[in-house]
C-alpha cells in the first residue's frame, strides 16, 4: 500500500505536470499521500434546508427551497445595473442579486418553478439577499449524487487564479479514492480502538473527505486527531525514556557543605513550599545516573534564582562547575548581581562573560575555567564560543530558553565528554497543553506560589479621557517617594511612528511633570548601549522619578522602588507582553499598580486581553487565554513556529484529546516499552516509519 501513496501527484488523472507543479509549490503536495493528508478547513452543510423566516444575518452559507416570483433589472448610474429576483417560500420572501452575466441568467431563470438555491446570506434593512447563488431545479438536485457535507480545502490565491478551485480539488480527491480503493492500514492496536470506540482508519479517512453526516464527520475527526497526537506523544516520551537510559549524567551523590551552609545560614527568607518541591524534584534527577533535562517554569518574581543557585551549590559540592546562560546582557548582568549578592558569604567564585567583557578579563576567565578555580560562569551567547573550555562542567542553566535555538544549546552539551545536567528556566508561563507538546521530552517543574510578603499588583483599565486623574495618582505616588514606568508600544514596521509617539509622550509628560520638582529618564532602541546604561542607572539610583520607555524594559529590569507601571496604547500589546511588563513592578514591599491606558474603540480580542489582565495575576491563566487568542505558533515566537505544523489536530481546541493521547502513550510504554508484543506489531512499524520523517520531533531540543 505504501508504494501507491508514494506515486507522484502529476500521475493522478486530471492533474498532469502543470497542475502538479502548482500543487507542489503552493501546498507542498508532492505525492498521493500528501493529497490524502490535505484535510478540509471547514464543511458546507448541505444536509439542511432553511425556511426564509429562519435566516440569520451571520454571513453563513445556506440552502433554501422556493420559487422565483418576480424578476427586474435595476439601473445604477450610467453603465451599471443589477438583476434582482424575488424568491419566496411559504414563510416569506428574499432577493437574489446578480451583477455579472445578467442577460444569460435572465433568460435561463424560470418563474414559479421550484429551485434549490445555495449561497452566502446578507441582510439589507429587513430583507435578506443572496448574491450570485448556486441554483438547481429541485428535480435535478434530488437526482445528483453529492456528499451532503461539502469539504472546503485550504487554498491560495494563485491556485484559484489558475483554475484549481475548491471544486477542482474535490474532483481530484474523488479520483484519488477511486484509484486507491481506500485500503488504509490500521495503525492503532485493536484494544485501544475498542476502548475509545474509534472509527476504523478506512472509514475515518473516507469520512474526513466525504462525510455522510455531521455525526460521522465528528467521529472521523476525533479518530484522526487522536492518532496524530498519540504518535507525537509516543515519540516524545520514548525520547525521554531513551535519554534517561542511554545518556549517562554525572551523579551528584552528596549534599555537601556549600549547600547546607547556604540553606541553614544564608537563606534571605524561608523557601515557599513550591520552591521546596521543585528542589526535591531536581535533587532526585541530579542524584540518579541519568542526565537531567528539566524545564523550570515560574512567574516573574517567584524565586527561580535561588533555586538555580542551590543547584549550582550542589554541583560545587560534587566537584563540578556550573554555567548560567541568558539571552541579553541586561539579564546576564542582573543574574550576576543577584547571585553574587546571595553568595557573598560563601566560599565560591562567580564571574560574568558577555560580548563587552574586555580581552584582558576574558583571558583570566578562560584560565580560571580550565584550571577549575572558577565555580560559576554567567553569560550570554559568549559562553558558546569555542575558546570557552570548562575543566568539568556539571550543570548548565539556560534562562528564557525560547530565545535560544537548538544548535546553540547543543554547543553547551559538547563542552564535556559526559553532557552536563540541563535546567531550562522561563518566566513566560507555557500553558500545560503546549508544554506537553513542545517540551514533552523534558521533565517539567513549576513554581506556582509567590514568596510571602509580596503584595499582588493591582491592575486597572483607564481610557485616555481619564488621563488627568491618572496623572494625579502618579503625582501622589511620587510624593510618597515611589517611582513610575510609562511604556509606549514598539511595532517594528513603523519605527518612525513609534519614535514620534514616544517623543510626543515624553514632551507632554515633561510639561505635566516639570523640573525641578520631577525628573524623567528616557529609554528606547535608538540609543547607544552606554546611553541606555546611563539612563537606567539614573533611574535605579532614584535620581529620576519617571522612566519613559519603549518595551526595551520588558525583560530584566529590577527596581524595587518602582511601584507603578503605566502602559500606553495597551491595545497594541499582546497578553504575554502586558504580563511581562507588569512584572517589572511589585518587586518591593509596597503596594504596586499597573494602569492599562487605551482608546475607546476596542476589538473583542482586546477587551478579552484587558479584562484578563485586570482579573488575574496568574501567569498560567494568562497564558491559557493567550493561547486561545493567538494560537500555538505565535506564542513560541516565530523561530519555534515550524514545530507545530500539525495536519489535523489543534493544540488549543483539542486539549482533551491531547491529554487522552498522552496518558495512553505513557501507559503503553510502561507495559511494553519496546512495542514488542504481538498486538503492537503494526504500531511499531508505523512508529519506525514516522521516526524517519523530519517532522515535529526533529525540531524539539
Amino acid at each position: 500500500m505504501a508504494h501507491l501513496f508514494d506515486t507522484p501527484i502529476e500521475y493522478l488523472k486530471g492533474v498532469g505536470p502543470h497542475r502538479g507543479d502548482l500543487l507542489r509549490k503552493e501546498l507542498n503536495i508532492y505525492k498521493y499521500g500528501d493529497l490524502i493528508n490535505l484535510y478540509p478547513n471547514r464543511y458546507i452543510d448541505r444536509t439542511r434546508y432553511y425556511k426564509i423566516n429562519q435566516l440569520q444575518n451571520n454571513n453563513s452559507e445556506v440552502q433554501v427551497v422556493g420559487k422565483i416570483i418576480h424578476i427586474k433589472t435595476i439601473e445604477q448610474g450610467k453603465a451599471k445595473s443589477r438583476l434582482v429576483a424575488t424568491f419566496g417560500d411559504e414563510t416569506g420572501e428574499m432577493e437574489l442579486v446578480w451583477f455579472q452575466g445578467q442577460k444569460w441568467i435572465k433568460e435561463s431563470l424560470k418563474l414559479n418553478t421550484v429551485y434549490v438555491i445555495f449561497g452566502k446570506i446578507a441582510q439589507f434593512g429587513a430583507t435578506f439577499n443572496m448574491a450570485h447563488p448556486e441554483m438547481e431545479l429541485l428535480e435535478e438536485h434530488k437526482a445528483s449524487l453529492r456528499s451532503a457535507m461539502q469539504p472546503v480545502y485550504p487554498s491560495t490565491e494563485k491556485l484559484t487564479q489558475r483554475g484549481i478551485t475548491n471544486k477542482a480539488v474535490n474532483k481530484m480527491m474523488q479520483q484519488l479514492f477511486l484509484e486507491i480503493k481506500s485500503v488504509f492500514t490500521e495503525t492503532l492496536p485493536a484494544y485501544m480502538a475498542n476502548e475509545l470506540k474509534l472509527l476504523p482508519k478506512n472509514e475515518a479517512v473516507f469520512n474526513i473527505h466525504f462525510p455522510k453526516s455531521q455525526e460521522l464527520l465528528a467521529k472521523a475527526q476525533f479518530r484522526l486527531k487522536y492518532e496524530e497526537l498519540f504518535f507525537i506523544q509516543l515519540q516524545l516520551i520514548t525520547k525521554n525514556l531513551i535519554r534517561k537510559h542511554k545518556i549517562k549524567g554525572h551523579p551528584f551523590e552528596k549534599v555537601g557543605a556549600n549547600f547546607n551552609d547556604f540553606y541553614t545560614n544564608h537563606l534571605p527568607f524561608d523557601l515557599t513550599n513550591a520552591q521546596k518541591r521543585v528542589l526535591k524534584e531536581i535533587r532526585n534527577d541530579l542524584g540518579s545516573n541519568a542526565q537531567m533535562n528539566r524545564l523550570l517554569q515560574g512567574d516573574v518574581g517567584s524565586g527561580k534564582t535561588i533555586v538555580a543557585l542551590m543547584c549550582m551549590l550542589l554541583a560545587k559540592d560534587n566537584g563540578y562547575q556550573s554555567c548560567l546562560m541568558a539571552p541579553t546582557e541586561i539579564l546576564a548582568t542582573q543574574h550576576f548581581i543577584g547571585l553574587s549578592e546571595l553568595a557573598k558569604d560563601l566560599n565560591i567564585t562567580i564571574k560574568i562573560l558577555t560580548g563587552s567583557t574586555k580581552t584582558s578579563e576574558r583571558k583570566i576567565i578562560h584560565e580560571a575555567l580550565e584550571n577549575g578555580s572558577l565555580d560559576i560562569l554567567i553569560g550570554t551567547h559568549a559562553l558558546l564560543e569555542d575558546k570557552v573550555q570548562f575543566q568539568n562542567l556539571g550543570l548548565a542553566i539556560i534562562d528564557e530558553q525560547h530565545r535560544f535555538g537548538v544548535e546553540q544549546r547543543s554547543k553547551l552539551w559538547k563542552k564535556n565528554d559526559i553532557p552536563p545536567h540541563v535546567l531550562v528556566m522561563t518566566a513566560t508561563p507555557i500553558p500545560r497543553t503546549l508544554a506537553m507538546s513542545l517540551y514533552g521530552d523534558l521533565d517539567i517543574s513549576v513554581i506556582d506560589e509567590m514568596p510571602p510578603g509580596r503584595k499582588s499588583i493591582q491592575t486597572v483599565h483607564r481610557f485616555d479621557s481619564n488621563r488627568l486623574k491618572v496623572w494625579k495618582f502618579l503625582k501622589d505616588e511620587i510624593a510618597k517617594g515611589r517611582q513610575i514606568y510609562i511604556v509606549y508600544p514598539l511595532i517594528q514596521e513603523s519605527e518612525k511612528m513609534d519614535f514620534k509617539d514616544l517623543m510626543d509622550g515624553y514632551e507632554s509628560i515633561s510639561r505635566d511633570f516639570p523640573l525641578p520638582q520631577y525628573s524623567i529618564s528616557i529609554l528606547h532602541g535608538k540609543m547607544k548601549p552606554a546611553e541606555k546604561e546611563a539612563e537606567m542607572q539614573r533611574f535605579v539610583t532614584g535620581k529620576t522619578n519617571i522612566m519613559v520607555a519603549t518595551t526595551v524594559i520588558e525583560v530584566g529590569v529590577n527596581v524595587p522602588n518602582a511601584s507603578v507601571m503605566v502602559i500606553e496604547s495597551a491595545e497594541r500589546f499582546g497578553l504575554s507582553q502586558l504580563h511581562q511588563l507588569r512584572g517589572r513592578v511589585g518587586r518591593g514591599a509596597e503596594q504596586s499598580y499597573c494602569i492599562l491606558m487605551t482608546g475607546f474603540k476596542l476589538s473583542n480580542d482586546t477587551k478579552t486581553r484587558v479584562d484578563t489582565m485586570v482579573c488575574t495575576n496568574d501567569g498560567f491563566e494568562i497564558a491559557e487565554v493567550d493561547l486561545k487568542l493567538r494560537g500555538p505558533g505565535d506564542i513560541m515566537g516565530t523561530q519555534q513556529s515550524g514545530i507545530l505544523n500539525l495536519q489535523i489536530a489543534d493544540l488549543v481546541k483539542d486539549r482533551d484529546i491531547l491529554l487522552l493521547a498522552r496518558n495512553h502513550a505513557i501507559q503503553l510504554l510502561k507495559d511494553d516499552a519496546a512495542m514488542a508484543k504481538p498486538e503492537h506489531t503494526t504500531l511499531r512499524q508505523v512508529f519506525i516509519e514516522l521516526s524517519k520523517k523530519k517532522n515535529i520531533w526533529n525540531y524539539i531540543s
Side-chain angles (χ1 to χ4, degrees):
M1 193 56 222
H3 59 275
L4 189 52
F5 288 151
D6 291 333
T7 312
I9 196 68
E10 55 267 32
Y11 292 118
L12 183 68
K13 191 178 164 193
V15 178
H18 174 64
R19 282 184 153 186
D21 201 40
L22 274 169
L23 288 171
R24 274 194 291 276
K25 283 188 182 132
E26 296 294 300
L27 294 174
N28 280 327
I29 293 174
Y30 288 84
K31 42 186 200 275
Y32 282 19
D34 298 332
L35 184 59
I36 286 173
N37 290 333
L38 179 73
Y39 296 121
N41 285 336
R42 58 192 177 90
Y43 298 83
I44 295 165
D45 185 353
R46 307 240 352 207
T47 53
R48 181 164 177 198
Y49 299 89
Y50 286 79
K51 299 284 180 213
I52 291 175
N53 67 355
Q54 293 173 326
L55 297 178
Q56 300 284 330
N57 187 17
N58 61 5
N59 202 18
S60 65
E61 293 170 296
V62 297
Q63 216 165 210
V64 187
V65 183
K67 294 176 181 175
I68 293 176
I69 302 157
H70 179 69
I71 304 172
K72 62 184 175 196
T73 301
I74 296 175
E75 300 298 333
Q76 298 169 270
K78 276 184 189 157
K80 282 188 174 173
S81 67
R82 65 179 192 269
L83 181 65
V84 178
T86 308
F87 185 81
D89 65 8
E90 69 277 18
T91 70
E93 290 180 358
M94 61 184 288
E95 288 183 344
L96 310 182
V97 187
W98 291 268
F99 301 97
Q100 277 113 23
Q102 296 176 29
K103 184 172 177 295
W104 172 77
I105 289 164
K106 194 170 184 178
E107 286 166 10
S108 65
L109 292 176
K110 300 178 179 170
L111 287 172
N112 298 315
T113 312
V114 184
Y115 279 100
V116 177
I117 62 163
F118 174 79
K120 225 175 214 168
I121 284 294
Q123 187 175 17
F124 290 96
T127 314
F128 282 102
N129 78 19
M130 190 184 281
H132 289 269
E134 281 181 33
M135 303 188 68
E136 248 180 332
L137 292 167
L138 183 62
E139 262 61 67
E140 289 171 10
H141 178 80
K142 282 179 177 166
S144 73
L145 245 184
R146 60 169 62 170
S147 157
M149 307 275 304
Q150 291 189 6
V152 179
Y153 289 96
S155 185
T156 65
E157 212 173 313
K158 200 167 187 181
L159 286 177
T160 316
Q161 283 168 358
R162 302 284 176 86
I164 303 183
T165 56
N166 193 57
K167 216 173 189 173
V169 177
N170 251 306
K171 252 192 155 144
M172 288 176 198
M173 207 58 91
Q174 288 179 23
Q175 181 59 35
L176 181 63
F177 272 79
L178 283 175
E179 285 191 28
I180 59 175
K181 315 246 186 317
S182 30
V183 253
F184 293 96
T185 327
E186 192 47 70
T187 51
L188 297 169
Y191 67 83
M192 191 181 285
N194 293 337
E195 185 191 331
L196 295 168
K197 299 187 176 59
L198 298 176
L199 271 193
K201 177 87 174 193
N202 259 334
E203 271 184 63
V205 180
F206 187 79
N207 276 288
I208 206 87
H209 294 291
F210 309 105
K212 291 277 172 278
S213 66
Q214 288 278 9
E215 189 192 359
L216 269 170
L217 173 63
K219 285 184 169 168
Q221 286 174 329
F222 180 83
R223 152 78 211 222
L224 294 172
K225 286 175 175 185
Y226 174 83
E227 181 178 342
E228 180 169 39
L229 294 168
F230 173 75
F231 277 107
I232 287 174
Q233 292 303 322
L234 206 55
Q235 295 273 359
L236 289 169
I237 298 158
T238 306
K239 202 168 166 179
N240 195 348
L241 292 172
I242 289 174
R243 203 194 55 245
K244 285 185 176 163
H245 287 295
K246 271 197 182 165
I247 304 183
K248 290 284 168 266
H250 308 278
F252 290 4
E253 280 159 358
K254 60 174 193 231
V255 177
N258 291 289
F259 184 94
N260 287 328
D261 176 32
F262 180 75
Y263 188 76
T264 319
N265 306 319
H266 304 294
L267 264 184
F269 43 75
D270 288 341
L271 295 181
T272 62
N273 288 330
Q275 283 171 314
K276 286 179 184 161
R277 184 188 66 240
V278 166
L279 264 171
K280 195 171 173 189
E281 291 167 352
I282 293 171
R283 272 175 56 176
N284 285 343
D285 284 358
L286 296 174
S288 77
N289 277 328
Q291 179 214 16
M292 168 169 85
N293 224 5
R294 195 168 275 281
L295 173 69
L296 173 59
Q297 291 183 268
D299 231 329
V300 178
S302 61
K304 294 186 296 293
T305 317
I306 278 208
V307 171
L309 174 66
M310 292 174 81
C311 296
M312 293 178 186
L313 293 175
L314 274 176
K316 161 91 171 156
D317 281 339
N318 287 277
Y320 292 101
Q321 295 165 304
S322 308
C323 69
L324 190 159
M325 188 161 86
T328 63
E329 278 201 29
I330 291 185
L331 206 51
T333 310
Q334 193 183 312
H335 277 306
F336 177 64
I337 295 166
L339 288 169
S340 303
E341 175 58 30
L342 283 169
K344 63 178 189 291
D345 300 326
L346 303 173
N347 179 26
I348 60 170
T349 51
I350 306 179
K351 293 265 188 222
I352 182 168
L353 179 68
T354 66
S356 50
T357 306
K358 294 189 178 69
T359 319
S360 54
E361 180 62 16
R362 273 169 196 263
K363 225 176 134 182
I364 297 169
I365 290 176
H366 290 162
E367 278 172 16
L369 270 187
E370 287 180 44
N371 67 31
S373 60
L374 178 54
D375 301 311
I376 296 174
L377 180 60
I378 293 165
T380 52
H381 296 76
L383 296 187
L384 300 173
E385 292 167 7
D386 295 338
K387 289 198 282 293
V388 180
Q389 289 299 328
F390 293 79
Q391 188 186 48
N392 55 353
L393 178 63
L395 173 66
I397 299 180
I398 300 174
D399 194 24
E400 290 307 336
Q401 92 92 30
H402 55 278
R403 306 207 175 187
F404 292 104
V406 178
E407 304 78 71
Q408 293 170 313
R409 280 178 282 158
S410 63
K411 276 191 175 172
L412 269 180
W413 291 200
K414 298 191 178 101
K415 303 247 177 209
N416 254 22
D417 303 335
I418 296 184
H421 294 293
V422 179
L423 183 66
V424 170
M425 300 199 298
T426 178
T428 312
I430 302 159
R432 199 175 138 67
T433 333
L434 257 191
M436 284 188 308
S437 304
L438 290 173
Y439 303 113
D441 59 334
L442 294 182
D443 298 304
I444 298 177
S445 291
V446 180
I447 302 184
D448 49 11
E449 73 188 284
M450 284 294 186
R454 280 268 167 119
K455 293 194 175 76
S456 76
I457 303 165
Q458 280 185 18
T459 305
V460 294
H461 171 216
R462 296 288 179 261
F463 292 111
D464 290 334
S465 50
N466 294 18
R467 194 168 292 279
L468 286 173
K469 280 186 176 164
V470 173
W471 273 191
K472 179 177 183 317
F473 174 72
L474 298 187
K475 286 177 176 167
D476 292 347
E477 283 293 296
I478 292 172
K480 294 181 197 163
R482 315 263 184 275
Q483 288 165 285
I484 317 282
Y485 292 108
I486 301 179
V487 176
Y488 285 83
L490 178 65
I491 294 176
Q492 251 44 53
E493 292 90 83
S494 57
E495 272 193 3
K496 287 191 183 70
M497 192 172 112
D498 293 325
F499 193 64
K500 185 177 171 301
D501 282 357
L502 181 77
M503 285 327 204
D504 290 352
Y506 178 68
E507 279 167 23
S508 78
I509 292 163
S510 305
R511 282 195 297 277
D512 291 328
F513 295 85
L515 285 160
Q517 195 180 352
Y518 302 100
S519 67
I520 303 169
S521 280
I522 186 164
L523 199 63
H524 57 79
K526 292 200 162 138
M527 295 163 72
K528 295 190 172 71
E531 293 173 330
K532 282 187 194 167
E533 191 48 43
E535 281 296 276
M536 207 53 239
Q537 280 311 314
R538 287 177 61 210
F539 190 64
V540 171
T541 51
K543 293 194 175 73
T544 55
N545 323 92
I546 298 175
M547 162 73 79
V548 177
T550 55
T551 46
V552 204
I553 63 157
E554 181 185 339
V555 178
V557 177
N558 187 10
V559 181
N561 190 42
S563 66
V564 186
M565 167 64 73
V566 179
I567 302 177
E568 291 284 357
S569 308
E571 64 269 33
R572 284 169 63 185
F573 289 91
L575 246 182
S576 61
Q577 228 183 352
L578 290 171
H579 181 62
Q580 285 282 345
L581 284 168
R582 169 166 66 184
R584 300 294 117 221
V585 294
R587 292 170 163 256
E590 309 307 330
Q591 176 61 56
S592 289
Y593 304 90
C594 174
I595 303 171
L596 307 173
M597 304 291 296
T598 70
F600 261 115
K601 276 191 176 161
L602 298 180
S603 70
N604 287 340
D605 277 6
T606 306
K607 284 195 186 99
T608 307
R609 287 203 294 266
V610 170
D611 292 348
T612 306
M613 285 291 293
V614 172
C615 294
T616 179
N617 282 314
D618 179 339
F620 287 95
E621 218 172 294
I622 287 169
E624 288 288 352
V625 176
D626 202 20
L627 182 62
K628 287 195 180 93
L629 290 175
R630 292 198 297 162
D634 288 350
I635 286 205
M636 296 319 297
T638 40
Q639 75 269 44
Q640 297 266 4
S641 62
I643 286 178
L644 294 170
N645 36 14
L646 297 177
Q647 285 170 328
I648 187 165
D650 174 317
L651 287 184
V652 185
K653 301 186 184 107
D654 302 323
R655 182 188 168 158
D656 295 349
I657 306 180
L658 173 67
L659 287 167
L660 186 68
R662 184 169 174 86
N663 291 337
H664 276 277
I666 290 170
Q667 198 48 53
L668 186 141
L669 291 171
K670 216 180 238 168
D671 298 341
D672 182 17
M675 297 180 234
K677 290 183 177 172
E679 62 265 35
H680 294 150
T681 311
T682 328
L683 183 79
R684 185 185 162 84
Q685 286 164 352
V686 177
F687 182 79
I688 291 167
E689 273 309 300
L690 278 175
S691 305
K692 291 178 191 163
K693 288 187 185 165
K694 183 162 177 52
N695 200 335
I696 166 169
W697 13 95
N698 297 30
Y699 287 96
I700 296 179
S701 52

